[in-house]
Amino acid sequence: MKTSHAILKYIAALTLTASVAGCSSTPVSKAITKAYNLGQELPADMVKTNQAAMVGFDETWVGNYGVAARNSLYGQGVEKDTPEYKLRAARVNLAISGPGVLWVSEGGLLYTGGAYVPDQLPQLRAGDIVEVRQTGTWDTMKDFSKTGEGNIVVRIICRKSDPAYEKCFEDAPRINKTKGVGRTNTPYPASVRDYGFTFTPMFDHKGQALRPYPQEDTSAAQ
């Protein structure tokens, strides 16, 4: 029991530190974010696969997210004053597959990640269940404007605002008792380009939107 309490205090301290680490993302905040995720690499069966994940916050400009969320995205390579900072990006929660850790059963340990959102999808909302092309553990969104490769949201599985959300959530992928996470077992193309999506700047350098978000019925990927 003492060990459990000690680790809980450690995680709580990391959470607090990540929230007050400063107003901007730095290499230190990236290290804190890695520590918050317990420094672990994702299991092999979660990498280069499509994973169900829950959107953590209403989608907005990266600079408008809270410090902890910005640091999580920074840990994936979304850095201020880069072209990536102007793209649509969502902070998402995945669950770790494989054996549990101490008192946490399989699927109970969450991993904070991120993914770029294609031009074609409507604005994501907290609680939406989405399918993410999960390419790795760290720096999965770095240099996306140059390479065109990295974590992206492939589709919306369950819309939080949908009256049928609860049933959809119940039927969504799960790991053990944790719903809305896990492998979707859909095809994983060789390249992001194979999806046919486009990713153009949504915001200027001050965070002003350059265009409205697509309307719900214009998304062909749902």
Side-chain angles (χ1 to χ4, degrees):
M1 185 64 69
K2 289 183 179 179
T3 301
S4 297
H5 284 166
I7 294 177
L8 281 172
K9 289 180 180 179
Y10 173 67
I11 293 175
L14 287 173
T15 304
L16 178 61
T17 304
S19 298
V20 299
C23 296
S24 61
S25 296
T26 66
V28 172
S29 66
K30 180 180 286 190
I32 290 171
T33 299
K34 289 188 176 183
Y36 179 62
N37 278 326
L38 304 183
Q40 60 193 334
E41 294 291 324
L42 291 178
D45 66 350
M46 289 186 66
V47 176
K48 297 188 183 306
T49 63
N50 291 331
Q51 296 280 327
M54 179 177 285
V55 177
F57 305 93
D58 286 356
E59 183 193 344
T60 185
W61 177 51
V62 174
N64 285 339
Y65 286 122
V67 174
R70 291 202 310 273
N71 286 346
S72 291
L73 291 172
Y74 182 78
Q76 299 303 330
V78 186
E79 301 183 19
K80 191 175 182 180
D81 298 324
T82 65
E84 285 70 31
Y85 218 69
K86 299 178 181 180
L87 298 176
R88 296 176 60 186
R91 228 282 280 125
V92 298
N93 296 319
L94 299 89
I96 306 297
S97 63
V101 179
L102 298 177
W103 71 95
V104 183
S105 61
E106 180 184 11
L109 189 61
L110 296 183
Y111 182 87
T112 60
Y116 292 112
V117 184
D119 297 339
Q120 288 77 10
L121 291 184
Q123 184 179 18
L124 301 182
R125 298 293 184 181
D128 286 349
I129 305 300
V130 297
E131 184 174 40
V132 173
R133 176 182 172 88
Q134 187 64 36
T135 59
T137 302
W138 307 110
D139 290 329
T140 58
M141 303 169 74
K142 189 176 181 65
D143 295 330
F144 184 82
S145 62
K146 296 178 182 178
T147 67
E149 301 296 339
N151 278 18
I152 66 166
V153 174
V154 176
R155 64 185 173 105
I156 300 173
I157 298 174
C158 300
R159 197 66 157 143
K160 181 65 175 176
S161 59
D162 191 328
Y165 177 81
E166 291 302 326
K167 183 180 187 308
C168 181
F169 186 62
E170 186 68 28
D171 295 338
R174 69 173 66 195
I175 298 178
N176 200 2
K177 296 180 180 179
T178 305
K179 303 174 185 177
V181 292
R183 290 187 66 161
T184 59
N185 295 313
T186 56
Y188 185 90
S191 171
V192 168
R193 297 177 182 85
D194 295 329
Y195 292 98
F197 291 132
T198 56
F199 299 85
T200 56
M202 177 70 181
F203 306 96
D204 65 17
H205 69 286
K206 293 183 178 180
Q208 294 297 312
L210 301 176
R211 62 182 183 276
Y213 287 97
Q215 294 299 309
E216 200 80 23
D217 59 359
T218 65
S219 172
Q222 291 191 79

